[in-house]
Amino acid sequence: MRRDVRLVDRESRICENSAHLRHPGVDALKYSIFSLIGHALSRERWPLAWRSPEPAKHYDVVVIGGGGHGLATAYYLAKVHGIRNVAVLEKGWLGGGNTGRNTTIVRSNYHFEPNAHFYEYSLKLWESLSQELDFNVMYSPRGVLNLVHTPGEMDAAMRRGNAMRLNGIDAKFLSRDEIASWIPNLDCSPSSRFPILGGLLQPRGGTVRHDAVAWGYARAADALGVDIIQQCEVTGMRIEDGAVTGVRTTRGDIGAGKVGIAVAGYSSKVAEMAGIRLPIESHVLQAMVSEPIKPVLDTVVTSGAVHFYISQSDKGELVMGGDLDFYNSYAQRGNLPVIEDVVRACLALFPSFGRLRLMRTWGGIMDMTMDGSPIIGKLPVKNLYMTGGWCYGGFKATPASGYVHAWTIARDEPHPLNAKFTLERFAEGRTIDEKGAGPYPWAH
Ligand SMILES: Cc1cc2nc3c(=O)[nH]c(=O)nc-3n(C[C@H](O)[C@H](O)[C@H](O)COP(=O)(O)OP(=O)(O)OC[C@H]3O[C@@H](n4cnc5c(N)ncnc54)[C@H](O)[C@@H]3O)c2cc1C
């Protein structure tokens, strides 16, 4: 009942001067060829994809962070658990964090069981996400190919490929000749600087348009009544008797029955507001794109040995990434030495790309855990939850992370898929160290 009153207040405020806005709780306009034609003929303005309401005094759930993970959490809270009195608080703009800064690769080519099942579930959600959200997220299953350069890597790739198959995940080993005939630009000659012995391919891996993911979840969550509030930074937590009861923000205090943290590179800072110290280090990861060219690369190629990966976007740009900057930082920008490293690796593998010009480079903040796996679950303060610690690869986790985070918040217990990704595992010695790299966050 209280919820209804709040909605009426809010609707009348929002709709005063904005006749084209939808009412919360009403399904979003269906995107289709018919609505496209209808709008072209009527010349009406398209309704905004989501509202921009003023924050209410209290929500059942407040989700901090308007990236893919926060928005997906809110969407599944509303859709699956019927919890619609939810706000997503974003300090900047939707997708302006790592969601809009990543290289868009999705895959589930993991060896360890918790990772394999979790990321495979995510990949399954990606496969139908455009239909689910009625928003084209441009999932492109173009394959993700991990190059193998040494006999040691060959053993590891075979082991991982077999483990993937045993877990029902698609995996295929390609010989050097098969790779050479598929990707003619790749230098597969035995005399190349990093000779290629073969490669492990996950055919269903690929890319997804990153900002469409944030917008699609935002639109669908808004249609279910979720308040999405941008330019609203959380600056503190209200904690009473060991339980979180709300957040302090740049737009005033907001009460909350439960709070979920989904802030990627800022997890440590936000958890600290509740007095929690996370086993996370924050580092900068950079990416860059070339000028756009005609299609030359129809898969994602990665090389662990040189830490380089590349794909071609639908706009024609070659999207490239490399390793961390290796010093702790909250700067969302990179530096020249890493750019040089990435370009060097690119030219060693794809010599003909040396004729291209680099168009843009950028950086994002990665929250690197001590074992390379995420933390998704309850925190030591009652009614406080988090999904974070994504290291290099949280974009591909977005749908599954939102799904299980919402589940954990709604039921106050983990979903089987995130049961192992607890914060306590670090104290209990149950780490999920996929790489076997040890407690060195920069090494995962
Ligand atoms: C260069 C680069 C390449 C990458 N490539 C890939 C890839 O190919 N594949 C892959 O799977 N992953 C990749 N990643 C990782 C991936 O981008 C992230 O793990 C993922 O996007 C995290 O999503 P998120 O929603 O948690 O974070 P974000 O999109 O960063 O969202 C968190 C939001 O929280 C907001 N926020 C922070 N603090 C507060 C506060 N106090 N109050 C309110 N809001 C706050 C931020 O403004 C931000 O918008 C890459 C990352 C980078 C930087």
Side-chain angles (χ1 to χ4, degrees):
M1 191 60 199
R2 217 178 77 241
R3 165 80 179 144
D4 292 340
V5 172
R6 195 176 64 77
L7 284 182
V8 170
D9 287 341
R10 190 181 51 183
E11 277 173 27
S12 52
R13 219 173 29 239
I14 299 161
C15 295
E16 248 169 354
N17 300 315
S18 328
H20 62 291
L21 290 180
R22 283 176 298 101
H23 288 208
V26 175
D27 272 354
L29 172 76
K30 182 108 182 98
Y31 286 161
S32 72
I33 185 69
F34 302 109
S35 56
L36 191 64
I37 294 169
H39 269 82
L41 295 176
S42 72
R43 297 190 178 187
E44 271 178 25
R45 281 179 69 186
W46 283 90
L48 293 184
W50 57 85
R51 299 159 296 120
S52 293
E54 287 300 316
K57 286 266 172 282
H58 187 275
Y59 292 92
D60 293 340
V61 180
V62 161
V63 179
I64 310 174
H69 290 245
L71 293 162
T73 302
Y75 170 72
Y76 292 115
L77 276 170
K79 179 80 195 276
V80 178
H81 304 280
I83 303 174
R84 297 180 172 208
N85 187 15
V86 176
V88 177
L89 308 182
E90 165 54 48
K91 72 174 176 180
W93 64 95
L94 298 192
N98 286 349
T99 299
R101 292 166 187 269
N102 71 75
T103 43
T104 76
I105 301 168
V106 300
R107 57 187 172 85
S108 61
N109 51 0
Y110 281 84
H111 186 156
F112 282 12
E113 298 250 335
N115 285 327
H117 296 309
F118 174 76
Y119 286 108
E120 176 59 12
Y121 185 68
S122 210
L123 196 53
K124 290 212 167 93
L125 292 178
W126 283 122
E127 285 168 346
S128 56
L129 197 66
S130 295
Q131 290 76 21
E132 164 87 18
L133 301 180
D134 182 31
F135 201 100
N136 188 1
V137 299
M138 297 164 75
Y139 166 56
S140 164
R142 59 183 70 182
V144 173
L145 176 66
N146 303 148
L147 298 177
V148 165
H149 300 278
T150 64
E153 275 194 322
M154 179 75 88
D155 286 350
M158 289 293 183
R159 210 166 42 235
R160 184 154 54 97
N162 284 327
M164 287 166 66
R165 284 185 171 203
L166 287 171
N167 277 321
I169 301 169
D170 56 321
K172 199 173 165 192
F173 197 82
L174 300 186
S175 68
R176 183 176 61 199
D177 290 347
E178 285 173 309
I179 294 172
S181 62
W182 180 23
I183 310 169
N185 294 308
L186 184 61
D187 185 356
C188 291
S189 63
S191 60
S192 67
R193 182 165 171 220
F194 301 104
I196 293 165
L197 306 184
L200 182 63
L201 174 71
Q202 181 178 25
R204 287 162 56 244
T207 57
V208 176
R209 174 77 207 180
H210 50 14
D211 35 22
V213 174
W215 300 335
Y217 273 120
R219 177 174 176 269
D222 172 89
L224 292 168
V226 170
D227 279 1
I228 295 168
I229 301 159
Q230 301 180 71
Q231 306 294 326
C232 180
E233 178 170 0
V234 171
T235 53
M237 301 244 184
R238 224 167 53 200
I239 294 170
E240 291 161 26
D241 298 329
V244 68
T245 57
V247 291
R248 303 194 192 292
T249 82
T250 46
R251 291 172 69 174
D253 285 7
I254 301 176
K258 297 182 175 187
V259 174
I261 303 173
V263 295
Y266 296 94
S267 301
S268 313
K269 288 189 152 202
V270 175
E272 199 177 27
M273 295 174 193
I276 299 166
R277 192 158 175 240
L278 296 177
I280 280 177
E281 278 188 12
S282 300
H283 289 258
V284 174
L285 182 69
Q286 291 186 67
M288 55 213 73
V289 290
S290 74
E291 60 186 318
I293 51 173
K294 288 189 174 166
V296 290
L297 186 62
D298 63 356
T299 186
V300 178
V301 178
T302 81
S303 167
V306 289
H307 211 114
F308 170 75
Y309 51 96
I310 186 165
S311 67
Q312 189 167 21
S313 77
D314 295 307
K315 287 187 282 183
E317 302 154 346
L318 292 171
V319 184
M320 294 170 272
D323 217 335
L324 298 174
D325 278 12
F326 291 118
Y327 51 84
N328 297 0
S329 170
Y330 284 105
Q332 287 197 122
R333 60 169 190 270
N335 59 36
L336 202 52
V338 173
I339 297 171
E340 283 177 346
D341 260 11
V342 172
V343 170
R344 251 197 305 263
C346 174
L347 298 192
L349 295 171
F350 294 91
S352 63
F353 293 169
R355 299 180 62 191
L356 295 174
R357 277 172 297 185
L358 212 53
M359 199 166 68
R360 279 195 323 276
T361 73
W362 64 90
I365 306 163
M366 319 301 294
D367 45 2
M368 309 294 293
T369 59
M370 297 289 156
D371 64 356
S373 294
I375 300 166
I376 320 171
K378 295 162 74 161
L379 290 178
V381 170
K382 198 165 167 12
N383 296 334
L384 185 62
Y385 310 82
M386 77 168 277
T387 181
W390 293 107
C391 302
Y392 292 98
F395 176 65
K396 63 183 180 292
T398 306
S401 157
Y403 187 84
V404 300
H405 192 211
W407 175 293
T408 309
I409 294 172
R411 299 181 176 218
D412 201 34
E413 64 181 24
H415 185 280
L417 285 172
N418 66 313
K420 297 264 167 60
F421 295 123
T422 60
L423 173 60
E424 291 75 30
R425 74 177 186 270
F426 297 98
E428 294 164 354
R430 296 175 203 275
T431 50
I432 308 167
D433 186 350
E434 180 87 20
K435 265 195 174 177
Y440 309 106
W442 59 90
H444 292 284

